[in-house]
Every structure is written in C-alpha cells, then in structure tokens.
Amino acid sequence: MSLKKQFIKTKPVCKVTFAIEAKDANSVAVVGDFNNWNIEEGTLSKLKNGTFKATYDLVKDAIYEFKYVVDGLYVNDPEADSYRWNDFAGSENSVLVV
C-alpha cells in the first residue's frame, strides 16, 4: 500500500495518490471523508502489475479518515499518518493529514 502527497504551490490542494497491491482482487475503492464514504466515487484503476491506483485533489490543511474497500472488505493503510477509532464502525480508520 502506498500514499503519495504532492503539494501544489499555486492552489490550496494536495494531489494524493492512493495505491494498494491486490493482484487477486476484482474491485478496489478508497472511501473516506473526502468522498462521503462513497464506493462509486472512490473506485481505483487496476494496473497490469496488480496494483490499484487513483489520484485525488484534496484540500490542504485538513485531516481525512479513510479505508480501502477490497472486494467488499474494509482495509486500513499501514502507511497512513495515524489511525482513529470509529465508534460507528467499531474499528479504526486510517488517517491522512494534508
């Protein structure tokens, strides 16, 4: 799994690339505060090497909770900036600070 942040000097956004290796998966999405936890809005594209990847423009100076959804299973990113407990889900969410 991988998170890549590219800050844009001329705009108040950060280009964040979400990537997860899931060679045997049929579908992967990233869901979080930035897309209202909507799987359809967070669909990642599968590359030939089995990695799923997408880049999003996120507002800078913000903190976002997120998870990957791999074939319906929610997965945290081990490279997240931190983790936050979510009472609604009864588990931790990955945290991204931009």
Side-chain angles (χ1 to χ4, degrees), residues 5-44:
K5 303 174 193 175
Q6 180 184 4
F7 292 92
I8 308 300
K9 292 181 182 180
T10 58
K11 296 180 182 178
V13 299
C14 177
K15 289 190 174 292
V16 179
T17 300
F18 295 90
I20 178 172
E21 188 176 312
K23 292 179 182 177
D24 297 329
N26 293 314
S27 66
V28 177
V30 61
V31 295
D33 296 334
F34 52 88
N35 65 6
N36 295 314
W37 299 87
N38 185 319
I39 291 175
E40 287 78 27
E41 290 182 24
T43 301
L44 303 182

Side-chain angles (χ1 to χ4, degrees), residues 64-82:
Y64 301 96
E65 291 186 33
F66 75 97
K67 282 193 179 234
Y68 293 104
V69 183
V70 181
D71 287 342
L73 300 174
Y74 288 83
V75 179
N76 277 323
D77 191 323
E79 296 181 20
D81 295 325
S82 63

